[in-house]
Amino acid sequence: MKRLILLLAGLFFALTASAHKPSDSYLSLSVKDSSIIGQWDIALRDLDFAIGLDANGDAEITWGEVRAKHTEIAAYAMSRLHVSAQGKDCPIQVTEHLVDDHTDGAYAVMRFKAECPTPISVLQAKYNLFFDIDPQHKGLLRLDYQGQSSTAIFSPDKATQEFKLSEVSRFKQFLDYAREGVWHIWIGFDHILFLLALLLPAVVFRQDKKWQAVSAFKPAFWSVLKIVTAFTLAHSITLTLATLGVISLPSRWVESTIAASVVIAALNNIYPLFRERRWVMAFLFGLIHGFGFASVLTDLGLPQGALILALVGFNLGVEGGQLAIVAAFLPIAFALRTSWFYRRLILIGGSVVIAILAAIWFIERAFDMKFL
Amino acid sequence: MPSFTHFAPRQLLILSLLFCTATTAFSAAHIPPNDATVLERLPFKPNDPVARELAQMRAELQRNPKNVEVAVKLARRYYGMVGEEGDPRYLGYAEAALKPWWDMPEPPIDVQVLRAGLLQFRHDFSGATSDLNKAIARDPKNPQARVLRAVIEIVQARYDLARSDCRALDGLTNDLIVVGCETMVDGLTGKLASAYDTLNTTFNDALKDAQSDGDKVAPDLQLWVLIRLAELSQRQGKIERTEAHFKQALALGIQDTFLLAAYADFLLDQKRPTEVVTLLKDKIRSDNLLLRLVFAERILNMPEAKESESILTARYVAAQLRGDTVHQQEEARFELQVKANPKKALALAQENWKVQLEPRDARIFLESALALKDPNAAQAVLQWLDSSHIEDAYLIKLGQQLKQLQAMQVAH
């Protein structure tokens, strides 16, 4: 009979592979100077197999049963995790026992502290949990250092690993934030449309209530430069102030005003409100857009100790992305400026479309509704 | 130097989700309200006969870890439990029992065959085949090694080799297994009707013979044959007969994740999602069954669908993080049908097709290619459809649609 089971097991299960999630633990370490704050989530099923948690034998693990075994769980787990800084041992102390549900069931959660004798530059971690009873077990590590996260996987053949923390270089961090800045302006349609609405009339001027093409490139270029500089200056000021925590505004108000600014900028092309002093508008509303950028930067997570670096990187990224858009826009607009197509369809028609779109955003944001 | 992967904020978000994911994606570590709060349910009570048997064997092995007989017995027991419980942890427990021999190039033959079995679970088919080749070279009459190798050959579409392994089983094991093995190959290679008839007749004869001897055919063997009969019937398009075989298999009362998944797929194809929900709503621990439940809940517009979907997403992310690729076929179905991302589905189906070439693998591959209108990407599967002579109406229809598309694209 046993023989048969094995024979058939092969036949059935080549196909099903692993139906459950296999055994993993989640270890996160957050390093600062010479201390490590950690959290370790270990599946109750695995702990039960290793040290037995089901005290009353009813196949259910209760909080009471887990609580009674806290000392034993901590001793079992912590004897299988060693961290050291530059080869010097950092003793671990469990500070708190909790539980959490992961996608595959309940986990014991241990929070702990480890103090190293020296500030950590090379962190060694030796992980041996469950490898003796389940070589398929893996430890998934998340390591946080200076606002940067990295991951690693512990397995029986990769039980000891070393992390050079200085490898998270300042320059790399700077580039990352710059990239995020470019990315944000690229996906931030409201900022792009605001800028476009202001730039559309840069290659024309109004005379006798009609748009006329500018005769030379120079005035168009100056007009664009004034608008872009005003916008940049304004949002840099508020981005900095908001990021440093000097001013803060409610995000719903900021986002609604940004939408409103796009509507006004677009309407200005259809019916003159600000006339030719669009750079004034760019500056005034640019102040509000800066708060919008600031909330993105805060969401990204700011590295402590490298705040200015992140701020400058992000801002330069935003400017770079913005300049790329302008550089693509200006030559095309200049070339088309004398055509009916540009003056009626793109300038007026485009402004109408932008105004409608932004008006919908405004209603969505201001009244917390969803249309698009 | 270990990997020190750098994460962009978006990936970090997924990662941090994973690190604090729960059934409701945003619950956090907490202290339960009281001592009586049940946190987890275990598959066995400690005094359950199965648990006691395992505990005894483990204790015996602990006293003498180098006793190969006890180790093999325990590892086999765990190996069998993977299918019953659907929990891959048992694979690790089995491997642990075999630890003293695990890294040997030529361990005792029973260990080598078991190791092959454990490796194929991880989709390490080449490692498994290499072990089986060596085991069969040492003991050509080893039925386990032959069956396992035949199954891997079927999965990898090496039908001639599979057939000869099936034939070599003759006289080494139960006739039903021998016939089941060969009809599995025949059912994929243009002899579908006769394969069904042969297996069905052999099965009924075996049941009758056993009855007249006052004996019965082992339930797990019955289960295996009935699933094969259901598959063959389904391929023939005989809906009622397929369902009858699935029902017979379910009536055996054996817990089996493969059976449930296959039956759920059948019900989904028959547009009967309500029954899928009833069948699987308590089985969400299994990723493969959860996948079918997500399909059904979405068809029915059930409010639970969103949560099931996010749990499954998190499990696939977790599998990716630990470097597992055993889910590719299922994940491809998830990407195509739930996430509406045929591009990713096709990429997964392509990767999967490198190791698994069965009708269900072909199906998701063809469906993804069709969704992307990219017949050229499916060339390998179209070739397999022709060369295997498989008689599966649905797959053939998909193949024809792709070929028409290809002809149209060439014409343009």
Side-chain angles (χ1 to χ4, degrees):
Chain A
M1 185 67 197
K2 284 285 152 49
R3 214 170 164 72
L4 197 59
I5 286 174
L6 176 71
L7 272 175
L8 292 171
L11 292 172
F12 290 141
F13 305 118
L15 318 165
T16 59
S18 67
H20 282 231
K21 196 177 152 306
S23 161
D24 293 322
S25 89
Y26 302 95
L27 175 67
S28 46
L29 300 175
S30 174
V31 175
K32 198 183 174 191
D33 303 326
S34 64
S35 31
I36 302 166
I37 306 282
Q39 178 173 321
W40 200 359
D41 295 18
I42 305 171
L44 290 180
R45 281 221 33 202
D46 292 331
L47 283 170
D48 177 71
F49 184 66
I51 56 175
L53 297 178
D54 185 15
N56 66 358
D58 63 351
E60 289 185 337
I61 301 176
T62 62
W63 170 236
E65 285 168 339
V66 174
R67 218 162 51 87
K69 293 263 183 176
H70 273 163
T71 326
E72 212 177 316
I73 293 172
Y76 181 83
M78 294 311 172
S79 65
R80 286 161 175 82
L81 176 68
H82 294 280
V83 286
S84 53
Q86 293 89 250
K88 293 196 183 88
D89 195 38
C90 314
I92 297 176
Q93 207 182 359
V94 176
T95 53
E96 206 178 1
H97 283 276
L98 304 158
V99 291
D100 197 0
D101 287 319
H102 284 257
T103 60
D104 61 331
Y107 281 59
V109 175
M110 270 174 284
R111 295 210 169 124
F112 58 88
K113 254 183 7 203
E115 282 299 335
C116 305
T118 55
I120 305 161
S121 61
V122 181
L123 178 76
Q124 290 103 358
K126 194 171 163 192
Y127 180 107
N128 270 315
L129 186 73
F130 300 140
F131 289 159
D132 51 339
I133 54 173
D134 179 0
Q136 297 289 306
H137 171 83
K138 287 187 177 159
L140 307 185
L141 169 74
R142 192 181 86 178
L143 181 61
D144 290 310
Y145 177 66
Q146 290 188 348
Q148 301 283 333
S149 279
S150 54
T151 61
I153 302 173
F154 293 104
S155 57
D157 43 348
K158 269 193 177 172
T160 305
Q161 301 196 38
E162 196 174 275
F163 307 95
K164 292 198 178 78
L165 297 180
S166 52
E167 276 187 14
V168 186
S169 78
R170 290 288 161 118
F171 181 64
K172 173 116 179 52
Q173 217 170 356
F174 178 80
L175 280 185
D176 282 341
Y177 278 92
R179 201 166 41 222
E180 281 303 321
V182 175
W183 177 247
H184 183 64
I185 194 89
W186 182 242
I187 58 160
F189 288 116
D190 42 5
H191 308 302
I192 296 181
L193 288 186
F194 178 70
L195 209 55
L196 276 183
L198 291 175
L199 294 180
L200 281 174
V203 292
V204 290
F205 65 100
R206 198 185 284 271
Q207 197 174 46
D208 304 331
K209 295 189 175 178
K210 272 193 174 162
W211 291 108
Q212 305 288 337
V214 292
S215 49
F217 187 72
K218 212 171 157 186
F221 179 78
W222 278 113
S223 166
V224 168
L225 188 72
K226 269 197 292 190
I227 291 167
V228 172
T229 311
F231 185 58
T232 302
L233 216 68
H235 73 230
S236 300
I237 294 171
T238 44
L239 169 62
T240 309
L241 291 178
T243 310
L244 297 178
V246 182
I247 318 175
S248 78
L249 288 176
S251 81
R252 186 154 151 195
W253 187 87
V254 169
E255 294 301 320
S256 309
T257 312
I258 290 175
S261 75
V262 183
V263 179
I264 295 167
L267 288 180
N268 186 50
N269 297 337
I270 304 162
Y271 183 85
L273 305 162
F274 281 73
R275 299 191 177 273
E276 292 301 296
R277 291 165 65 189
R278 286 189 302 277
W279 66 270
V280 177
M281 195 159 61
F283 185 84
L284 288 178
F285 286 120
L287 291 172
I288 304 300
H289 282 249
F291 285 103
F293 292 131
S295 71
V296 175
L297 186 55
T298 319
D299 287 348
L300 288 177
L302 283 163
Q304 291 307 312
L307 192 64
I308 300 298
L309 188 93
L311 186 61
V312 174
F314 184 77
N315 206 357
L316 284 179
V318 169
E319 309 318 338
Q322 195 174 294
L323 279 181
I325 291 164
V326 173
F329 164 83
L330 189 57
I332 298 171
F334 188 75
L336 295 174
R337 73 193 188 286
T338 54
S339 65
W340 171 89
F341 172 73
Y342 186 83
R343 278 178 291 172
R344 302 298 303 177
L345 201 67
I346 299 207
L347 179 56
I348 303 300
S351 295
V352 170
V353 173
I354 293 176
I356 293 172
L357 189 65
I360 297 173
W361 283 341
F362 175 76
I363 297 168
E364 281 187 349
R365 292 174 186 184
F367 305 105
D368 202 12
M369 295 156 85
K370 197 83 204 136
F371 299 115
L372 294 180
Chain B
M1 187 60 209
S3 60
F4 195 90
T5 331
H6 188 82
F7 274 85
R10 248 165 306 279
Q11 287 160 299
L12 192 62
L13 183 74
I14 299 171
L15 190 72
S16 37
L17 262 177
L18 188 69
F19 267 80
C20 59
T21 333
T23 29
T24 56
F26 296 101
S27 104
H30 61 280
I31 290 181
N34 59 60
D35 277 0
T37 310
V38 175
L39 305 173
E40 184 67 281
R41 292 190 166 77
L42 299 168
F44 301 106
K45 292 181 182 178
N47 62 358
D48 183 286
V50 176
R52 278 219 305 266
E53 182 198 344
L54 288 167
Q56 266 167 19
M57 281 195 266
R58 268 209 312 273
E60 214 178 318
L61 191 62
Q62 222 157 26
R63 281 194 297 275
N64 187 2
K66 299 223 161 139
N67 184 333
V68 71
E69 264 169 51
V70 178
V72 164
K73 210 169 110 190
L74 179 61
R76 272 189 191 161
R77 194 72 191 84
Y78 279 131
Y79 186 82
M81 284 173 69
V82 184
E84 291 162 35
E85 301 292 322
D87 192 333
R89 282 180 169 86
Y90 296 116
L91 297 173
Y93 300 165
E95 186 180 327
L98 301 177
K99 183 138 204 284
W101 307 274
W102 187 261
D103 292 321
M104 289 183 183
E106 207 135 288
I109 204 148
D110 283 343
V111 174
Q112 193 160 30
V113 176
L114 259 169
R115 185 167 69 186
L118 293 167
L119 290 177
Q120 59 93 29
F121 264 115
R122 274 186 248 161
H123 286 199
D124 180 359
F125 292 120
S126 59
T129 307
S130 140
D131 264 338
L132 291 172
N133 291 346
K134 284 183 202 155
I136 292 170
R138 282 154 74 190
D139 175 11
K141 290 191 183 302
N142 186 308
Q144 281 105 324
R146 286 276 180 195
V147 173
L148 199 49
R149 195 168 73 175
V151 172
I152 294 173
E153 283 156 350
I154 291 171
V155 170
Q156 302 208 312
R158 288 174 288 159
Y159 302 119
D160 292 338
L161 292 173
R163 192 174 278 119
S164 64
D165 271 331
C166 293
R167 286 186 182 153
L169 277 169
D170 202 1
L172 300 180
T173 181
N174 190 311
D175 274 355
L176 256 182
I177 296 179
V178 183
V179 175
C181 183
E182 200 167 340
T183 51
M184 243 174 126
V185 182
D186 288 345
L188 292 163
T189 53
K191 293 173 207 142
L192 181 57
S194 69
Y196 175 83
D197 293 339
T198 310
L199 184 57
N200 196 37
T201 314
T202 314
F203 180 54
N204 287 326
D205 289 349
L207 289 179
K208 263 183 245 148
D209 286 353
Q211 206 172 23
S212 62
D213 296 348
D215 199 1
K216 60 181 213 170
V217 178
D220 56 347
L221 182 53
Q222 288 192 45
L223 176 69
W224 179 71
V225 173
L226 285 166
I227 296 176
R228 304 286 83 85
L229 287 172
E231 282 174 344
L232 294 170
S233 301
Q234 199 173 0
R235 209 167 295 151
Q236 286 178 286
K238 311 238 168 172
I239 303 305
E240 277 170 30
R241 210 174 67 193
T242 308
E243 173 135 35
H245 286 312
F246 275 131
K247 288 256 164 81
Q248 283 170 284
L250 288 166
L252 292 169
I254 302 174
Q255 182 143 319
D256 187 78
T257 44
F258 184 79
L259 169 64
L260 290 174
Y263 186 48
D265 280 343
F266 167 78
L267 290 174
L268 287 167
D269 281 346
Q270 297 307 312
K271 307 211 170 7
R272 287 156 60 187
T274 323
E275 290 164 68
V276 176
V277 174
T278 321
L279 184 74
L280 301 181
K281 64 175 186 297
D282 304 323
K283 308 271 190 314
I284 64 157
R285 278 201 162 225
S286 155
D287 297 354
N288 289 346
L289 298 184
L290 179 59
L291 175 73
R292 275 77 177 182
L293 185 64
V294 169
F295 291 151
E297 286 176 345
R298 279 171 55 92
I299 297 168
L300 295 168
N301 275 323
M302 288 171 67
E304 295 90 333
K306 267 266 157 291
E307 193 178 323
S308 306
E309 191 186 316
S310 69
I311 297 174
L312 196 54
T313 309
R315 290 202 200 156
Y316 287 141
V317 172
Q320 239 172 44
L321 206 63
R322 88 196 303 277
D324 276 355
T325 56
V326 293
H327 275 110
Q328 279 165 337
Q329 187 233 112
E330 278 81 14
E331 203 182 339
R333 292 178 62 181
F334 183 66
E335 287 296 334
L336 183 66
Q337 292 183 31
V338 179
K339 298 277 175 180
N341 186 351
K343 223 171 153 171
K344 190 164 174 205
L346 181 64
L348 286 162
Q350 276 169 327
E351 276 307 303
N352 177 57
W353 190 257
K354 289 179 187 162
V355 285
Q356 297 197 104
L357 300 83
E358 288 202 286
R360 74 194 88 245
D361 306 299
R363 177 173 168 167
I364 179 61
F365 198 142
L366 295 173
E367 285 173 341
S368 308
L370 208 52
L372 276 177
K373 298 196 170 36
D374 186 358
N376 295 327
Q379 210 48 47
V381 187
L382 294 176
Q383 260 164 23
W384 169 82
L385 276 179
D386 287 339
S387 65
S388 66
H389 305 293
I390 186 168
E391 302 146 274
D392 183 311
Y394 182 69
L395 290 182
I396 291 169
K397 193 183 85 188
L398 291 178
Q400 278 164 352
Q401 286 174 348
L402 279 165
K403 278 182 188 162
Q404 275 167 14
L405 205 61
Q406 201 164 27
M408 269 162 56
Q409 289 176 354
V410 170
H412 282 279

